[in-house]
Amino acid sequence: MPQVTRLRVVGAAIAAGALTLGSLATATAVQAANPRRAIAHTHPAWAVPAKRLSSTAVTSGTVSAKVYLAPNHQAALASEAAAVSTPGSKSYRHFMSAAAVRAEFAPSAAEVASVKSWLTSAGLSVTSVSAKAPAGAYVGVRGSVAAASKAFGVTFGTYRGPGGQSARAPQQAATAPSSVASSVLAVSGLDTAKSAIKPALPPPGPNYWVAKPCSTYYGQLTATNKPKAYGKFQPWTTCGYTPSQVRGAYGVTNSGETGANQTVAIVDAYASPTIKADANQFATVVGDNPFTAGQFKQYKAGPYSLAGPNQCDAAGWYGEETLDVQSVHGMAPDANVRYVAAGSCLDSDLAQADALIVNNGLASIVSNSWGEPAQFSTINSVFDAIFQLGALKGIGFFFSSGDSGYEGPGEDPASPQDQVDFPTSSPYVTSVGGTSLAIDKTSSYQWETSWGTINDPLIHLKNGGKKWQFTPPGKYPSGYGGSGGGGVSTEYKQSQASYQAGVVPTSLAESLPDGTTSSTPMRVIPDVSALADPSTGIMVGQTTLQPDGTFAFSLSRIGGTSVASPIFAGIQADAQQKLGGAIGFANPGIYSLDTQFPYGTTGAFNDVTDHPLGAGYLGMVRNNYTNPYTKQGPLLTYLRTLGINGEGKDRLKAVTGYDDATGVGSPKNYIQDAPQLP
């Protein structure tokens, strides 16, 4: 199974205004010659003949797998999740209790017994069963490759995996006997893209030191000693916005809401040993209040594994989860925060963490700043079932849209084709894209554009002069500096979610990433957007390795849609406080607000475009240390041109109205408008 990166039902005809979603069917039609059904996504997309490392089949070794159990009444699950989430529905926000969800959708004892019997009859041993609650229910098994081959009807081969390593994988899709196929949702663990176990967590890595000069607000300092670009001297990049600045720009301060009586959960892999202490110290440094007793709690979804630097890199996740906690707390200072640590970066472990929140009702808002190219996802249907079950209980999931645009080879060399990330492209989550945000001296919103950066290095001439190495904005893809994720998903092929109908332009929803046109509109991401560009990024505080070899709390600047998702999740807590209760799955309401309160002075969202100040490019100048982890020079200077999300067919353009770079836009009067949903 591929490593997840940080920064990702059967269709039913339902009432007008509800979600109309693509198929999550777990099996194909019964094969004529073999009464078995294929299990979706069990043949990895990277396990192709061209990447086969040996013609000899793998017949030895051990397989540890999870067989995920389908929720009962999948058609009802889809329609009921839609009904409680859709403004105007009689069931809108009439959420189900945990007991009711469990009674209706949890797998039955007979189904569990049948699945266990199938697996053990093939020679596999059952190692664990988690089936009392429907979200993420599974039967864990272990046994020989021969037993797995018999149970799943596959042969195994050796391939070059997504990270370039040798990995074992099925040579075809796994199957299940037709007698139990309706109870099987997905299988994980049949491939070994990640295999070595290292349970001990490492210490934090080094800090990323921000080089001066930099500004405390947009436009404070201008780089008059550097060459002009686009006819003028450009401003120095910011040092990192504080939470109060972002609260001011996105309407949180004016709303008066603080997220009181709301709970936000954050899911990442592993757990920084100083996550709470760092959040409290950071709050004190920036003038906010630290967590009160009981306001922050931490949960562990499973045992840690794959922690090494060449595996999931546990230490690399510490900064991610630190900024997630600080971003949520910054936007909703009085909200409860529940940090849930997945056992590793594998899909199965991250799904287990999200399922823990749903099954135990830990929060009504969940932020996830991780994902992977959709091609590498293997348990999509499991995630979707978790999100649907969460919607029934009034839980909304928010995901970062990704930091590599359309994930084309120009943005992500590991991706062989244009594709969106997953789980952010699930129609059951709110996908949060990225922007570059200008905040003025009074913490007021100035302008915003889509996050997409091209870097152009400063070079020194022999005559003592200076120039930008290339004609601005610079070269693509060599100068590409990251961008918010977006585009059209091909995973959900039957129809687009109905909440996007009438808002997402049909021409956009039918334009597939391979350049062809779909006969029906598809799911498009992102849904909304928020600050993500590191050039206009946020300040973060974390205990890190210092240049002298000690560990200490340090400030830095960070960006990415890993910032955007928890920012919006925190603002969602403020909106729920204003409303007086949970909103649940937010998308139907978000798109309803977009039509009820269109862009303008009273709009719910800022309409983010590539050229917010008119024709021409926006730029900033930034200094970097040669080694930013040790503060070692000399300084390297770059012109960073903003608002360029990819090039050519990979380009995601932010235009007036909905677009696949910034969705319906960033929060404006969202907190005040949310309570006006019917």
Side-chain angles (χ1 to χ4, degrees), residues 108-252:
S108 68
E111 288 176 304
V112 175
S114 295
V115 170
K116 290 170 63 177
S117 177
W118 154 51
L119 297 167
T120 55
S121 66
L124 295 171
S125 299
V126 174
T127 57
S128 59
V129 177
S130 176
K132 293 182 179 180
Y138 68 88
V139 174
V141 293
R142 181 180 175 86
S144 67
V145 164
S149 295
K150 180 179 179 182
F152 298 106
V154 297
T155 55
F156 291 92
T158 304
Y159 299 86
R160 188 164 304 284
Q165 79 285 12
S166 173
R168 184 187 68 210
Q171 298 184 67
Q172 55 281 121
T175 60
S178 58
S179 59
V180 298
S182 62
S183 300
V184 178
L185 189 63
V187 180
S188 68
L190 295 182
D191 66 76
T192 60
K194 293 291 178 184
S195 57
I197 303 298
K198 187 177 180 181
L201 294 186
N207 192 52
Y208 184 97
W209 297 98
V210 176
K212 302 298 177 72
C214 57
S215 300
T216 58
Y217 59 87
Y218 176 77
Q220 179 190 26
L221 302 175
T222 302
T224 55
N225 62 338
K226 305 301 182 214
K228 293 181 178 180
Y230 311 121
K232 62 181 182 180
F233 293 112
Q234 296 295 323
W236 284 104
T237 189
T238 61
C239 305
Y241 292 132
T242 64
S244 63
Q245 289 176 291
V246 182
R247 291 197 298 266
Y250 282 150
V252 178

Side-chain angles (χ1 to χ4, degrees), residues 437-460:
L437 174 65
I439 303 176
D440 69 14
K441 186 177 182 179
T442 64
S443 296
S444 298
Y445 182 99
Q446 280 191 281
W447 52 260
E448 208 166 8
T449 189
S450 62
W451 171 38
T453 306
I454 300 294
N455 292 314
D456 196 352
L458 181 72
I459 60 173
H460 295 267

Side-chain angles (χ1 to χ4, degrees), residues 316-339:
W317 284 80
Y318 294 169
E320 173 66 61
E321 54 216 33
T322 297
L323 76 91
D324 288 351
V325 170
Q326 293 175 10
S327 296
V328 169
H329 187 54
M331 294 304 100
D334 291 331
N336 295 318
V337 175
R338 305 294 183 247
Y339 178 75

Side-chain angles (χ1 to χ4, degrees), residues 1-4 44 46 159-170 189-196 306 310-312 345-346 372 376 378:
M1 185 178 293
Q3 176 176 339
V4 176
W46 46 266
Y159 299 86
R160 188 164 304 284
Q165 79 285 12
S166 173
R168 184 187 68 210
L190 295 182
D191 66 76
T192 60
K194 293 291 178 184
S195 57
L306 300 170
N310 295 323
Q311 301 165 336
C312 290
C345 66
L346 298 186
E372 61 192 342
F376 299 146
T378 59

Side-chain angles (χ1 to χ4, degrees), residues 255 575 578-579 583 589 593-594 596-598 601-605 668-678:
S255 77
K578 185 78 172 181
L579 179 61
I583 292 174
L593 286 174
D594 177 71
Q596 289 186 51
F597 302 95
T601 304
T602 60
F605 302 100
K668 186 177 183 181
N669 296 311
Y670 177 67
I671 297 171
Q672 295 90 325
D673 291 342
Q676 300 185 55
L677 291 171

